[in-house]
Amino acid sequence: MRIEQLYTKCLAEAAYFIESEGEIAVIDPLREVQPYLDLAKEWNGEIKYIFETHFHADFVSGHVDLAKRTGAKIVYGPTAKTNFEAITAEDNQEFKVGKITIKVLHTPGHTPESVTYLLLDENGKETAIFTGDTLFLGDVGRPDLAIKGDLTQYDLAGMLFDSLRNRIMILPDSVTVYPGHGAGSSCGKNMSSETVGTLGEQKQTNYALRANMTREEFIKEVTEGILPPPQYFPKNALMNKNGYESIDEVISKGNTPLEVSEVKRLMEDGVLVLDVRTQEEYIQAAVPNSLFIGLNGTFAMWVGALIENINQPIILVVPEGKEEETVMRLARVGYDNCVGYLKGGMKAWSEAGEFVETIESVSAESIADKIASLPILDVRKPGEYEAEHLENAEHVALDFMLDDLGDLKPNNPYYVHCAGGYRSVIAISLLKQKGFKNLIDIAGGFGAIKKAGIPTTDFVCSSKK
């Protein structure tokens, strides 16, 4: 038996590849299927099953394409209804993969159809659980993503309490826990940066698995402090339930070079220019009215949070050689309507005599003596701001800028910062699209502010808030 965790930092997502006697099970695959086909060939095996822990909201799974390419059966948990051929497994149903067994444990709570897959070795020993978004290391799945009819997040949280106590915590402490996500995902609140652990460790360290925890305490703690989900979550869940266009067709369409004149014409028709270079490159030269979301950060999640229309036509400004990768990473979160990329990049745009936009950027040290009197805009997450911030900072989290700009005034100047410099440039590009004109980036963000010795509020530990 072999188990391979395929972890994608951009989405903080873990897929799993399990092989026994030449038969392979894939759990929660990403949209691009070629890596799974390549690994199956490398392992000299055949993909037999594609197990889905639930209808994912934060990414588009590769289950449909992978099933078409391999003939493997797609498996969902009880109550799941799809618009493509799939097995809706019963609770405790078992599937053979070589000499091992994959047992379905219905663990509703994150969503009604959520399951945990229990791996039994060739001797029937309970060896590992693949928990999807039911149990993370240090946290559990948020219970507010599948609210329908009379079902509330408190109802789902109660289901999750029962699932954890009655299906997972009764398993041996030695069982290995393979979660669906790690730190950085929006599917939970407080996930560990570790991506593999044991159930015994989680019983000792995970707040949601406290032995003396009451149902009421669990519901209160799990539902407190949940930030609103990114706007693309329900759209991805529908794609996972209903099916989608082939990834090969999406990449073929998006990997198309466009001349400057064609880019200008398409922009006039409402096509969005998305610049995925580094923030330093974008600051120095950008296509006017373009949106910056760099590949060097949590790209897919910010695309999903900030591009409201999932069918938005997109033109890329992309580093040479990264065109296909970028189209694929857009498709991971359902943005399938990339129409091409600017051929020759910003050099071609400039040489064609087109206007090049720049952003003023200053170091924290250069404004240290006057920063207390400057109009500061902090775009970090609420928890980051509450923990520590500049006294005079106005706070509007980048996550929610589409819906709420607070008291920001387009004609006012703002010195913008995040934690390290990535999100502040995204925010500036977004605000420029909304008519803001006088925006200055603080290079290096709050980290540079602290390093420069600039006074901030007293640090407040998140556990004390």
Side-chain angles (χ1 to χ4, degrees):
M1 177 180 68
R2 286 186 285 183
I3 300 173
E4 181 92 8
Q5 183 186 70
L6 305 171
Y7 195 80
T8 304
K9 289 184 178 179
C10 180
L11 286 167
E13 191 272 346
Y16 296 95
F17 212 74
I18 308 163
E19 184 271 339
S20 175
E21 299 291 302
E23 294 186 343
I24 294 169
V26 183
I27 298 179
D28 293 341
L30 284 184
R31 182 81 179 271
E32 63 275 17
V33 301
Q34 195 58 48
Y36 307 110
L37 300 174
D38 292 344
L39 194 54
K41 183 176 180 180
E42 179 185 330
W43 287 11
N44 196 29
E46 180 178 339
I47 299 175
K48 184 177 182 181
Y49 292 113
I50 302 158
F51 291 104
E52 291 286 345
T53 56
H54 63 294
F55 292 124
H56 305 284
D58 60 311
F59 70 96
V60 179
S61 179
H63 54 308
V64 175
D65 274 351
L66 192 56
K68 288 178 181 177
R69 295 282 295 271
T70 63
K73 301 293 185 183
I74 301 171
V75 180
Y76 274 95
T79 77
K81 295 179 181 179
T82 67
N83 286 341
F84 46 83
E85 187 176 347
I87 298 170
T88 301
E90 297 178 2
D91 190 23
N92 295 317
Q93 186 170 346
E94 296 182 349
F95 296 85
K96 296 296 292 185
V97 179
K99 289 186 176 180
I100 66 170
T101 301
I102 305 289
K103 184 176 181 178
V104 177
L105 305 181
H106 189 203
T107 51
H110 176 65
T111 64
E113 81 285 350
S114 286
V115 294
T116 292
Y117 293 107
L118 172 62
L119 187 151
L120 307 172
D121 69 13
E122 59 185 275
N123 299 313
K125 180 183 177 183
E126 296 167 328
T127 302
I129 46 176
F130 301 86
T131 54
D133 289 16
T134 296
L135 173 65
F136 302 123
L137 301 188
D139 202 0
V140 291
R142 58 191 297 168
D144 65 325
L145 299 183
I147 299 171
K148 295 178 181 177
D150 295 332
L151 197 64
T152 70
Q153 65 175 339
Y154 306 105
D155 297 326
L156 285 165
M159 293 180 193
L160 185 56
F161 177 85
D162 294 336
S163 294
L164 292 167
R165 265 71 190 168
N166 301 332
R167 306 310 308 273
I168 291 180
M169 291 177 69
I170 60 173
L171 297 170
D173 287 357
S174 60
V175 165
T176 302
V177 178
Y178 291 108
H181 290 288
S185 169
S186 297
C187 293
K189 294 187 296 185
N190 232 358
M191 287 176 243
S192 169
S193 58
E194 299 296 321
T195 61
V196 180
T198 68
L199 186 55
E201 292 168 352
Q202 288 307 296
K203 288 177 183 178
Q204 295 296 317
T205 61
N206 191 320
Y207 77 97
L209 303 189
R210 293 199 309 269
N212 62 349
M213 193 178 210
T214 67
R215 184 187 183 89
E216 290 71 26
E217 287 172 336
F218 178 89
I219 292 172
K220 183 175 185 292
E221 292 188 37
V222 166
T223 55
E224 272 186 345
I226 299 178
L227 296 176
Q231 59 85 29
Y232 77 103
F233 269 27
K235 301 167 188 176
N236 275 197
L238 278 175
M239 290 180 71
N240 283 317
K241 185 175 183 178
N242 296 332
Y244 44 74
E245 188 178 1
S246 164
I247 187 67
D248 293 336
E249 294 173 10
V250 172
I251 290 175
S252 176
K253 176 177 62 177
N255 194 19
T256 302
L258 300 171
E259 300 291 343
V260 171
S261 58
E262 181 70 356
V263 170
K264 287 182 63 181
R265 184 187 69 77
L266 290 169
M267 288 177 68
E268 291 172 357
D269 292 337
V271 177
L272 172 69
V273 175
L274 177 64
D275 195 317
V276 304
R277 299 171 300 152
T278 67
Q279 56 264 38
E280 292 83 8
E281 290 171 313
Y282 185 83
I283 283 171
Q284 293 168 7
V287 173
N289 209 39
S290 59
L291 177 66
F292 166 76
I293 305 178
L295 288 174
N296 59 321
T298 48
F299 172 75
M301 286 190 280
W302 283 118
V303 165
L306 298 177
I307 302 179
E308 199 163 13
N309 179 8
I310 202 166
N311 298 312
Q312 169 68 52
I314 294 171
I315 295 169
L316 299 172
V317 177
V318 60
E320 186 176 357
K322 293 284 187 178
E323 297 86 1
E324 183 172 322
E325 176 190 335
T326 305
V327 177
M328 180 268 293
R329 288 174 68 174
L330 285 169
R332 283 177 179 167
V333 283
Y335 289 79
D336 291 357
N337 202 11
C338 182
V339 298
Y341 61 90
L342 174 60
K343 182 181 178 182
M346 284 307 301
K347 181 180 179 183
W349 183 266
S350 178
E351 289 178 349
E354 299 298 334
F355 180 74
V356 175
E357 194 160 50
T358 61
I359 295 171
E360 183 179 354
S361 182
V362 298
S363 68
E365 292 88 348
S366 69
I367 57 172
D369 60 343
K370 59 180 179 178
I371 199 167
S373 62
L374 295 176
I376 303 295
L377 175 59
D378 186 333
V379 300
R380 296 175 299 159
K381 291 181 182 292
E384 295 174 279
Y385 175 82
E386 291 163 12
E388 197 174 10
H389 60 267
L390 290 168
E391 283 280 8
N392 59 316
E394 191 162 355
H395 178 241
V396 178
L398 175 60
D399 308 60
F400 312 122
M401 274 189 178
L402 282 181
D403 301 316
D404 186 6
L405 290 177
D407 296 324
L408 299 183
K409 304 288 192 301
N411 292 325
N412 288 2
Y414 293 101
Y415 286 77
V416 187
H417 80 82
C418 59
Y422 177 76
R423 287 174 289 173
S424 60
V425 179
I426 297 176
I428 288 172
S429 71
L430 187 65
L431 289 169
K432 279 179 172 286
Q433 290 183 336
K434 295 179 178 293
F436 287 73
K437 304 185 188 311
N438 195 354
L439 303 169
I440 302 99
D441 178 61
I442 301 178
F446 198 70
I449 289 169
K450 291 280 288 181
K451 189 174 181 181
I454 298 170
T456 65
T457 60
D458 292 336
F459 179 77
V460 178
C461 179
S462 60
S463 64
K464 297 179 181 178
K465 288 185 290 184

